[in-house]
Every structure is written in structure tokens, then in C-alpha cells.
Amino acid sequence: MKLRYSPTSPYVRKATVTVLEKGLEARVERVATDPWATDTDLSVDNPLGKVPTLILDDGRILHDSPVICDYLDSLSESPKLIPSTGALRWDVLTMQSVGDGILEATVLYFLENEKRPAEARWTFWSERQLEKIRAALDLLERAPGCLEGPINLGQITVAVALGYVDFRLAEEDWRTRCHNLAAWYRVFSSRPSMLATVPAAPS
């Protein structure tokens, strides 16, 4: 398999942590890709021009981190990152949704304030993204039990989201307000899969 990636993409990090936690690194070739490059050929594999994009051995191509992580999870039984049935399945998928929502809001904030020309930036839009991030973090702080138990994709997504908030919004001192979440993240972020995928440098 080939995983097209950008080193600072949080969605790529989510997929890569999944690869490592599932012990699939020997089966996945990483192909560096700059989605912002004018000469990129990424659209050949993904018409949306996004990473991660996973090219399977049979030629099929998967887009979007939830789809890619679901596929990777199907390749082996242990650890099972997405429960097959029951209430826990929906809890994990909902937690993935919360984490992905934090990622989306953080990416939108970054694009508005770093990629858009200063004279065209929309302060109201940026504040809305910060409100979403803070509300989601408050939700996680109030329900720390949802992050307990054996590793799952919800935990991975939330941890990657917290790391991305630190990476792109260093001034957002969420730990002061979310003590339980900070304590959980301190432990989870020390996993080898997380340490091996820390974003290299701002882009």
C-alpha cells in the first residue's frame, strides 16, 4: 500500500498513528506529497487534492481519514480500534467525530489567519472556529471517562486534535481550563506512535 502524506497534516498523523498502532508499518509505503504545490499530481489519485490518500495493492484508492483508518483497522483483529457492534462502537465513532471537528476548526482558523491575505481576513469567522474548538474541549473535559479503556480510534483522533491545537494555536492555553483532559493527553501523547508522528515544522 502507498500512503500519500504531508508531514504537518493532522489527518495524515491520525492515519499514521493508526498504521503504527496496528503494526502495519511494513505494509505501508509513505509517499511525500505537497497538496499546495502548483505541480502536484495528487489529483490523479484524489480529485479533492487532499491527504491522506491510500492506494491499495489492488489499485483501489481510499480518501478521507475515517475511511482510511476504518480500512486499516479491518486488516487485523488486534488491537481493534473500532468496535464492530454495540454501544461502544457508537461512542468511539462519536469521539472520532468530536476530534475531527476540532481538527477541521483548527485547520480553518489556520488557513484564515496564515494563508489568506491580511486585508481579506474575516475576524468573525476566526472567532467562530475558536468557539467550536473551546466547546469541544469543554465537552471532553466534562466526560473524561469516554477516553478511558483500551486504545481506540476515538482516542487517537482526540489526541491528534489536541496535538494540532498545540501546533497551530500555541497561544490557546487549553490546559489551564481542562485539567482532566490535559492529564489524559500527557499520558496518551507519550505512546511511541504519537512520539513518532509529531509534526516536523510549520508549513
Side-chain angles (χ1 to χ4, degrees), residues 36-185:
W36 293 95
T38 56
D39 60 348
T40 182
D41 65 347
L42 180 57
S43 62
V44 174
D45 294 323
N46 185 341
L48 300 176
K50 294 182 176 181
V51 289
T53 294
L54 184 66
I55 305 167
L56 306 186
D57 293 335
D58 63 5
R60 284 178 298 146
I61 301 174
L62 304 183
H63 311 151
D64 201 18
S65 65
V67 176
I68 290 172
C69 291
D70 196 346
Y71 176 78
L72 294 170
D73 193 40
S74 75
L75 298 180
S76 67
E77 285 300 316
S78 181
K80 194 66 176 172
L81 300 179
I82 306 175
S84 300
T85 60
L88 185 57
R89 172 179 173 80
W90 308 116
D91 290 344
V92 168
L93 292 179
T94 299
M95 196 54 48
Q96 176 183 217
S97 177
V98 172
D100 279 341
I102 295 172
L103 287 178
E104 179 183 36
T106 307
V107 168
L108 290 175
Y109 182 92
F110 170 73
L111 293 177
E112 184 70 21
N113 290 276
E114 298 295 333
K115 295 294 186 180
R116 189 182 296 276
E119 65 274 11
R121 292 172 189 166
W122 189 10
T123 301
F124 174 77
W125 176 257
S126 295
E127 290 298 325
R128 285 295 300 271
Q129 306 316 313
L130 289 176
E131 289 172 5
K132 293 176 184 179
I133 294 166
R134 290 164 182 165
L137 294 178
D138 288 343
L139 168 67
L140 295 170
E141 173 67 11
R142 293 194 303 271
C146 64
L147 296 173
E148 295 174 357
I151 187 170
N152 59 61
L153 188 57
Q155 296 170 358
I156 290 171
T157 309
V158 167
V160 168
L162 295 175
Y164 197 64
V165 170
D166 286 345
F167 182 53
R168 293 302 193 194
L169 298 173
E171 69 280 6
E172 186 67 20
D173 186 21
W174 60 270
R175 289 172 176 78
T176 299
R177 190 175 71 255
C178 303
H179 300 286
N180 293 327
L181 185 59
W184 174 83
Y185 179 65

Side-chain angles (χ1 to χ4, degrees), residues 6-15 52 65 103 107 160-161 164 168 199:
S6 170
T8 57
S9 165
Y11 300 103
V12 166
R13 188 183 189 193
K14 174 182 168 185
S65 65
L103 287 178
V107 168
V160 168
Y164 197 64
R168 293 302 193 194

